Amino acid sequence: MNTLSYGLLSLLSLNPQSGYDLMHRIQPFWPAKHSQIYPLLSCLEKEGLVQFETVAQTDKPDKKVYSVTESGRDALRKWLSEPTDAPALRDALMLKIFCISLSNPDAARALIEERAGYYRCKLDIFKEKLETIREKASLEEEDAPVFGSPYFGSYVLVQRALSSSRSDLNWCEWVVSLLPPGKKPETEHL
Amino acid sequence: MNTLSYGLLSLLSLNPQSGYDLMHRIQPFWPAKHSQIYPLLSCLEKEGLVQFETVAQTDKPDKKVYSVTESGRDALRKWLSEPTDAPALRDALMLKIFCISLSNPDAARALIEERAGYYRCKLDIFKEKLETIREKASLEEEDAPVFGSPYFGSYVLVQRALSSSRSDLNWCEWVVSLLPPGKKPETEHL
DNA sequence: CCTGACATGTAACTGGTTACATGATTCC
DNA sequence: GGAATCATGTAACCAGTTACATGTCAGG
């Protein structure tokens, strides 16, 4: 049992879903391709931690909907009580910044702006997700779901994603502000 | 040539150093063990991107000090101009939070507090690193090194590490504040 | 008819971790 | 003499990516 297996089990504890769904939902917290997920689900099924049901769909191809078993929930409870590994972040941009002085201000700006765009995009996605959760949990402005609510986990996770993206975007903008002014950008002509 | 190879090259462009040094310096941005780094350095040396010199030390064992070649610097310049992969974060705590409702408030608090401690520790480490850089670059309070200074990269990287740790720690404290009050902590008896 | 999203799988390969292996030097 | 840090390396294994492979269904 590796971390990804527990992650799949954890997501399934929220609601039964397909491998395809799991792949999309686990991505922001633990990147994984379908080629890794499908075999793990088969394995979890053999171990009796999950079970599945083939569901026919009329508008889309059929799917296998997985759900956790009682034995799976026991495994999760045990996992929750064990010490958590430190997070692992791998970011090529940080490595590029070590040798940024081999570059010039314009190339450096392009490098950071590319990433800033990525964080702006993430911000928009997570803002939408927050709205979806607020609606589902029928929350008033500024309210948070209480511990025990099925939305508590998703809510605190999306809030984290939002504050991380904001913090990272601010950093990008700060770095760009430190760069010496170079060639004027196209927008100046408008 | 994979990202880690470029990362090693990038660090070596700052100053010549040993595989052992590289391992420690690359960790915060790209986790890697010595068993992955040493073979890659041999490989980079065969490709002519780095060269090494065996340096005898009296107080410690001998070491191999690597440095980038002109060909290595060319490879770095080319790498800088290529699009950067999105960062990959893998965090088991986020996965645990999905099924936090299988737990109880006290266990949840312990889970988050463990991580909060981790971020507090990181914060202290990066604060010290910032001071070290400030001294080396002989910077006044609040000043930043200019683009082109050999300290520019390290400075913006440590500032990022600091703001990320602060943001993550704030999130942990916010989550704990949402948890219902459970058994009183030991400190209440003082 | 073709593209794109939905859906599931396997095989080959690369990246990364754990374990094995060795040895110098310092400090207790 | 033993533990801790410094220093380098290899081998076996596990995790993760890329490529191969197939098929359904909707919309242009």
Side-chain angles (χ1 to χ4, degrees), chain B residues 38-48:
Chain B
Y38 291 128
L40 282 181
L41 285 171
S42 297
C43 186
L44 289 172
E45 198 259 335
K46 273 176 208 146
E47 303 286 321

Side-chain angles (χ1 to χ4, degrees), chain A residues 88-98 111-112 114-116 118-119 168 171-172, chain B residues 3-4 6-7 10 26-31 79 83-90 157 160-161 164:
Chain A
L89 171 65
R90 287 192 168 87
D91 191 346
L93 180 65
M94 304 299 109
L95 303 181
K96 283 189 174 181
I97 286 174
F98 280 121
L111 189 67
I112 308 295
E114 182 199 17
R115 179 58 65 89
Y118 169 85
Y119 290 130
D168 291 339
W171 176 83
C172 287
Chain B
T3 309
L4 180 56
Y6 282 112
S10 186
I26 209 162
Q27 284 286 351
F29 310 100
W30 200 279
W79 177 58
T84 311
D85 287 339
L89 171 65
R90 286 192 169 85
L157 285 174
R160 190 194 146 107
S164 291

